[in-house]
Amino acid sequence: MSTVDHIEALKAKHASLEQAIAQESTRPHPDDDAICSLKKRKLQIKDEIVRLSSPVSDTRSRATTH
């Protein structure tokens, strides 16, 4: 799977999680733990999308400066 395909798959998962959060939030008695877990996973996916989308040279320069 190419990086572009991987990013697109992650974006689809991100959108799916957003939908799941919205569904859980509109229930009569939303499960706060479930919402928290979904939001955490959504943030992890967003971070991975950003990491994969960043230029390779930028990633290397940050790795050598720390």
Side-chain angles (χ1 to χ4, degrees):
M1 177 183 284
S2 73
T3 302
V4 173
D5 291 339
H6 188 59
I7 290 171
E8 290 305 313
L10 289 170
K11 286 180 180 180
K13 285 182 185 179
H14 189 269
S16 176
L17 287 168
E18 180 67 34
Q19 195 172 33
I21 291 167
Q23 279 183 323
E24 185 63 36
S25 296
T26 58
R27 287 179 16 154
H29 299 287
D31 183 343
D32 291 336
D33 291 336
I35 292 171
C36 183
S37 178
L38 290 166
K39 286 182 176 183
K40 185 181 284 188
R41 181 67 185 132
K42 185 179 155 198
L43 182 58
Q44 289 170 338
I45 289 173
K46 182 180 177 185
D47 289 345
E48 188 172 354
I49 291 169
V50 169
R51 183 182 58 80
L52 291 171
S53 298
S54 67
V56 174
S57 60
D58 183 42
T59 304
R60 287 183 185 156
S61 66
R62 281 188 298 203
T64 58
T65 58
H66 294 297

